[in-house]
Amino acid sequence: MESARTTRRFRPSRPAPTGADAPTAATGRSLTPVSRVLRLCLHALLFGLLALAAGRAVTGSAPGAGWVVAACALLAVLYVAGVRAPVVHRSPGAGALWLAGLGAAWAGLLVVSPDGLWIAFPLYFLELHLLRLRWGVAAVALTACAAIAGFLGHSSTVTPGAFLGPLIGGAVAVATVLGYQALYRESERRRELIEELITTRAELAAAERGAGILAERERLAREIHDTLAQGLSSIQLLLRAAERSLGEAPPQAGRDADEVRDAGGGRDAGGDDEGRAAALGHIARAREAAQDNLAEARRFVRALSPPDLEHGSLAAALERLCVGAPGVRARFSPSGSPTELPTPYEVALLRIAQSALANVVRHAGAGRAEITLTFMDASVTLDIVDDGRGFDPAATGGGGDGGGFGLPAMRSRAETLGGTFTVESAPGQGTAVAVTLPLPVEAPR
């Protein structure tokens, strides 16, 4: 077993909007400069071709010039109305209806003027933009056929250009739209990757801050326990010894006091007893102050304990750990008479259990795991056993699969507190991890 590196799965990239999805996606976010320029170019192309057709009809004194100008104006009005109507961009049905109106107006223009053929090219892009891809391609093909029919209706000669022009224009429009969609998908993947990296970096920074805070809290708890609390306990022991020494009045000391009083002409030696009583009072108050400060130090240590230990005992934290283990049936079993452990002991045992169970979930492929906390007269033992695939501790140098840092970190925690750490495992036979910590000797009160 070993602690595996945490990997993050990137969410799947959103597909590029095609057809009717494209306007919705475009209106969902502010247009990029490229999209805005492309739209402006499409508007300019359509209005420029309409102006050209109307201008040629008026300046050329062609018959039916009024009808040509009216058809161009109707087409322009319909186009502006659809561009400014939000429902056209939100609803595929509304977009298809708008295209049908434009197509009808364009067909009328084709009937009265051969110059209406030029309007087919911007219509290609509108159809591919508003309709789904398969329907857009079909609409482009139908528009090309209408353009060819319109040209043949106004021309007495048939040339290859009459067929190739609209067809090549439609093919170029389809290829352009498909290329744009490919670029859009690539741009979306890069955008989402950048967002994912930014999010991951923020989460990593937050995790590092959290880990640093927890590590500092544990360090302070250990320092307070190992220095301040132990020093106050020693002060209590010394004061208790001094109190015991002053409280005992040896017989020889009483005889010496009588001789001194007789030699001094009956001077009372009760002053020595009063001094001893005052000293005992001072010592008692000093012991009380030391006891109060020791209790305060222990409260500080408990307040600096990990969050898992803030709302219950070590046994309760281990029970919650087993209940929340994903992918494995974990069970916790206490044994013996529970004893209140110092906070560094509880922190070490909890961290070891968390690391060992994480290895079971990630690497062991186990179906069951059991954590046992055993209290004995002079020690406390934590056992983590699983029925997974196991490994050869000798082959990995005791570091688990791949020589990771999980087991060495557990061993270091145990040995720091004067305990022992053992691993028993074999390929195909599961793994057993055992930690034994000696119970601290309580100072007499």
Side-chain angles (χ1 to χ4, degrees):
M1 295 186 297
E2 69 166 349
S3 297
R5 295 180 179 177
T6 302
T7 58
R8 181 177 181 86
R9 296 180 180 177
F10 291 94
R11 60 178 182 268
S13 297
R14 179 172 49 198
T18 59
D21 297 334
T24 304
T27 56
R29 295 188 303 271
S30 60
L31 291 176
T32 62
V34 174
S35 301
R36 192 175 293 108
V37 168
L38 289 177
R39 286 197 170 195
L40 291 176
C41 289
L42 181 61
H43 300 336
L45 177 62
L46 180 64
F47 286 113
L49 293 175
L50 288 175
L52 179 62
R56 282 172 58 87
V58 172
T59 57
S61 300
W67 289 105
V68 174
V69 173
C72 289
L74 177 61
L75 194 58
V77 170
L78 286 175
Y79 183 79
V80 171
V83 169
R84 297 184 64 85
V87 67
V88 172
H89 301 280
R90 291 197 300 263
S91 172
L97 185 62
W98 179 53
L99 284 176
L102 287 176
W106 175 64
L109 180 61
L110 278 178
V111 171
V112 297
S113 173
D115 295 334
L117 171 66
W118 302 332
I119 311 300
F121 194 68
L123 288 179
Y124 293 154
F125 287 99
L126 283 177
E127 292 161 350
L128 292 170
H129 181 68
L130 290 177
L131 301 176
R132 297 190 182 277
L133 184 60
R134 61 177 182 273
W135 297 110
V137 173
V140 167
L142 181 62
T143 303
C145 293
I148 294 172
F151 181 82
L152 294 178
H154 290 280
S155 176
S156 58
T157 60
V158 178
T159 61
F163 296 91
L164 294 179
L167 294 176
I168 292 176
V172 169
V174 171
T176 302
V177 169
L178 291 178
Y180 168 76
Q181 292 175 0
L183 290 175
Y184 179 88
R185 284 192 295 269
E186 181 66 23
S187 174
E188 282 295 294
R189 281 195 293 269
R190 291 187 178 183
R191 182 185 61 81
E192 292 182 356
L193 179 60
I194 293 173
E195 291 179 355
E196 197 74 28
L197 290 175
I198 293 174
T199 303
T200 303
R201 184 173 62 180
E203 292 178 354
L204 180 60
E208 289 178 349
R209 285 195 298 270
I213 291 173
L214 288 178
E216 183 63 15
R217 289 174 63 173
E218 292 180 14
R219 185 190 70 81
L220 289 175
R222 286 196 304 270
E223 292 296 331
I224 293 174
H225 177 271
D226 294 341
T227 58
L228 181 60
Q230 295 299 331
L232 291 172
S233 296
S234 299
I235 291 173
Q236 275 196 306
L237 289 175
L238 293 174
L239 290 174
R240 180 180 293 275
E243 186 180 36
R244 187 178 296 113
S245 298
L246 288 175
E248 294 176 354
Q252 181 63 37
R255 290 194 298 269
D256 292 343
D258 292 338
E259 294 175 358
V260 170
R261 182 183 56 196
D262 295 339
R267 187 178 55 202
D268 189 4
D272 293 339
D273 294 335
E274 293 177 358
R276 184 183 298 111
L280 289 174
H282 293 317
I283 292 175
R285 286 190 292 272
R287 282 190 56 212
E288 291 175 0
Q291 178 64 31
D292 292 341
N293 283 272
L294 178 59
E296 188 70 19
R298 287 173 176 169
R299 281 195 293 270
F300 287 153
V301 170
R302 284 193 296 270
L304 292 172
S305 61
D308 297 310
L309 296 173
E310 289 181 354
H311 306 291
S313 62
L314 174 62
L318 293 175
E319 180 70 30
R320 290 193 298 270
L321 178 65
C322 290
V323 171
V328 62
R329 296 192 303 274
R331 186 180 67 175
F332 170 68
S333 301
S335 178
S337 300
T339 303
E340 184 178 356
L341 298 175
T343 298
Y345 281 53
E346 292 185 340
V347 172
L349 292 174
L350 178 61
R351 293 297 186 228
I352 291 173
Q354 288 172 335
S355 181
L357 191 57
N359 287 342
V360 172
V361 172
R362 296 173 184 171
H363 309 298
R368 292 182 302 171
E370 184 168 355
I371 298 179
T372 305
L373 182 64
T374 304
F375 291 92
M376 292 177 283
D377 293 338
S379 63
V380 58
T381 300
L382 178 70
D383 297 286
I384 304 97
V385 182
D386 67 76
D387 61 353
R389 62 176 61 95
F391 66 98
D392 185 3
T396 59
D401 297 341
F405 298 99
L407 295 180
M410 300 183 216
R411 186 185 305 277
S412 175
R413 284 184 180 274
E415 292 177 350
T416 299
L417 297 174
T420 60
F421 179 85
T422 58
V423 179
E424 296 180 1
S425 182
Q429 298 184 14
T431 303
V433 174
V435 182
T436 301
L437 300 179
L439 292 177
V441 179
E442 289 291 338
R445 295 187 181 183

